[in-house]
Amino acid sequence: MLRSLAGSVVALASLCALQPGLAQRVMTESPVSAPISGVRYEVTADRAGLTEHRLHVATTFGVAGPAPVVLSLPAWTPGAYEIVNFARTVSEFGAVQGTDSLRWDKTDYDTWRLWPKRAGAVTVTFDVTADTLDNGMSWTKPDFALFNGTNVFLYPEGRSTDFASTVVIRTAPDFLIATGMTRAGEGRTFRAANYHELVDMPFFVGQFDLDSAVVSGKQVRLATYPRGVFAGAMRATAWDQIKRAIPPEVLVFGEVPWDSYTIMHITDSTFAGMSGLEHANSHVDVTTPRGNGSDFQPSLFAHEIFHAWNVKRLRPADLVPYRYDRPQETGWLWVSEGITDYYADLAEVRGGIVDTKGFYALTAGKMAEIANAPPFALEDASLNAWIKVRDGTDALYYPKGSLAGFLLDVMIRDASDNRSSLDHVMRDLYASTYKQGRGFTPDEWWGAVRRASNGKSYDEFYRRYIDGRDPYPWDEALKVIGLRMQSDSVPRMGVSLRPEESGGVRVMEIVPGSPAAGAGIKGGDVIVSVNERPAMDVFFAGGFGAMYGTKPDGTQIPVVLKRDSATVNVQVPLRFGPAPPTLVEDPAASPRAVRLRNGLLHGTTDK
Ligand SMILES: [Zn+2]
């Protein structure tokens, strides 16, 4: 999962709570279901239903007799670590056997129990309200539906998830279907080998743009809704980014794990920010129109695609197998999310989407995010994912976990004299745990790091930087690869800004004693122009630097504001202050430091 507001100075973490926190389900065990067989799901996404945000689901299966069948819907979608209880979107529930209606009741929030009359086929039907634009949920427009299997596919309580099933999509003849699920023949029928696979393969149904390319020897599809908005040069750039990001990621693990991969991308003006949710052979993006073509776009692609290995396959043992009825707390999201984000940055620089300066800027941006946050431990932040804490550390396991990956990579290359790297750790664990059909334990993770580091102990590292809250030792670590932090003096107004969906930028906070405070700018003001240049988005701050970087301190800057409906003119005196630190290459770096740095940037080691 990854969420951000592209181009915003607002921290990534502040945008994550799209879903109201719902009470955790009471931990009672549901009764065990009678066995069911030959499971077939039919999802109707016709024009009439789509207009009313309604999907109709019919589930048919065989029973051997009158013993009660107990069926549940998941409470969450893996990757989106929040309890939603998809049963809340169900209406018109019913069950029949031939012409006989069956008696049913509920045994908990997510679970229905029904009593067959005899052996034979049973059909359960219900409607799903698909009105939430969230990549873990279901959403329709008159010409389109996104749905996740967790929202619509029932499973039998207390039975193995290892059952194959068939999915039939009933929809208009001119509607397309995109999904990672395997087609059964030429029609609109699909097959899933087991329940985990079934609910890990979301569907697009309707009118959308769809094309494909071969990348690293396998087919990649790009499905974008609505038609026409992700087209032309923008689509060509996206394809270039996808083709550059995947090969360096493949090199980390040494294999392409999918037969085909589907990128499912929704653009909608009601959505603030950009969000992605990963699956084993697809991912679903939801973005504001401004996100398309932004600098954040390749980060999102590279992050979600890397998840196909890291978390969808290589996964902490706490999350194996997924349980759909309750939260699965884990202290390892700093690896599953944070290190995924480190590899997104590496894929960008190794694939040539950004140059080395771009990689340093991505890394420095994460350092600045952490510097502005209260001290916290990565393990604690990971455990807190499910409850969306409001202490200012929510979702900070992304940037800080990414930096932990960067630190580990530097330390491993240092300890092994660049003969080994974090790439080796990932590949080692992929082979020794995922390929053996299980998740990794803490001992296995740290054992792999130690092996890659010539036996070096990471006990102190773990105690201080993963379980502890110590600041990261940047001076020491950056020196190993010939980098240093540099802070320039730039013109500063002393405001934090966020873009308005309707254009312009709104003042969020004002630094006390800053030029903006002295000039009478207030929180909530919208900046219309600076020195007659319109402030279209937060990037105008860069133009601000270019306009005033060489002017003397105290130069008066005319700023036009909108306050409620009034226009307000103020003069802001120019003042210089430190910019957030950037990472730069140290010209005096040793040849060894340059060698290690090049290894990290290019994904290479020395023999
Ligand atoms: Zn993620």
Side-chain angles (χ1 to χ4, degrees), residues 138-217:
S138 298
W139 180 74
T140 70
K141 296 288 267 187
D143 61 347
F144 179 77
L146 156 73
F147 70 86
N148 276 274
T150 47
N151 299 193
V152 296
F153 297 136
L154 295 161
Y155 64 92
E157 275 292 340
R159 295 277 162 193
S160 169
T161 48
D162 202 17
F163 63 93
S165 60
T166 304
V167 176
V168 179
I169 306 295
R170 302 248 174 251
T171 190
D174 58 325
F175 278 6
L176 300 174
I177 298 173
T179 177
M181 205 176 288
T182 306
R183 271 177 202 270
E186 291 299 303
R188 294 175 162 205
T189 303
F190 300 82
R191 277 195 69 75
N194 57 60
Y195 189 77
H196 297 303
E197 189 181 303
L198 177 77
V199 296
D200 187 51
M201 297 178 171
F203 279 78
F204 272 14
V205 179
Q207 293 182 326
F208 49 86
D209 289 326
L210 178 65
D211 59 357
S212 69
V214 173
V215 184
S216 292

Side-chain angles (χ1 to χ4, degrees), residues 97-114:
Q97 210 168 12
T99 54
D100 295 332
S101 286
L102 301 184
R103 182 163 76 88
W104 61 270
D105 67 0
K106 289 195 76 170
T107 61
D108 65 41
Y109 309 150
D110 305 317
T111 307
W112 293 260
R113 171 174 49 187
L114 42 112

Side-chain angles (χ1 to χ4, degrees), residues 98 380 470:
D380 300 346
D470 285 7

Side-chain angles (χ1 to χ4, degrees), residues 1-2 79 276-278 303-304 307 311 336-337 340-341 398:
M1 182 101 208
L2 187 63
L277 181 59
E278 69 275 7
H303 177 107
E304 299 308 331
H307 269 315
V311 94
S336 297
E337 291 296 349
T340 293
D341 217 48
Y398 285 85

Side-chain angles (χ1 to χ4, degrees), residues 24-163:
Q24 187 172 319
R25 147 181 162 154
V26 181
M27 295 286 186
T28 50
E29 291 298 333
S30 282
V32 172
S33 177
I36 63 172
S37 61
V39 184
R40 172 189 163 97
Y41 304 95
E42 258 185 48
V43 179
T44 302
D46 56 18
R47 280 193 165 87
L50 297 188
T51 304
E52 294 172 1
H53 300 297
R54 186 184 68 242
L55 301 169
H56 181 72
V57 185
T59 308
T60 303
F61 51 86
V63 294
V69 172
V70 185
L71 301 170
S72 291
L73 275 182
W76 65 292
T77 303
Y81 302 98
E82 59 194 1
I83 293 299
V84 181
N85 298 108
F86 298 111
R88 63 205 266 272
T89 66
V90 168
S91 60
E92 305 288 327
F93 188 92
V96 296
Q97 210 168 12
T99 54
D100 295 332
S101 286
L102 301 184
R103 182 163 76 88
W104 61 270
D105 67 0
K106 289 195 76 170
T107 61
D108 65 41
Y109 309 150
D110 305 317
T111 307
W112 293 260
R113 171 174 49 187
L114 42 112
W115 283 267
K117 299 206 167 185
R118 54 189 172 272
V122 172
T123 298
V124 172
T125 55
F126 55 83
D127 288 345
V128 165
T129 302
D131 62 354
T132 307
L133 181 54
D134 178 302
N135 35 27
M137 299 184 69
S138 298
W139 180 74
T140 70
K141 296 288 267 187
D143 61 347
F144 179 77
L146 156 73
F147 70 86
N148 276 274
T150 47
N151 299 193
V152 296
F153 297 136
L154 295 161
Y155 64 92
E157 275 292 340
R159 295 277 162 193
S160 169
T161 48
D162 202 17
F163 63 93

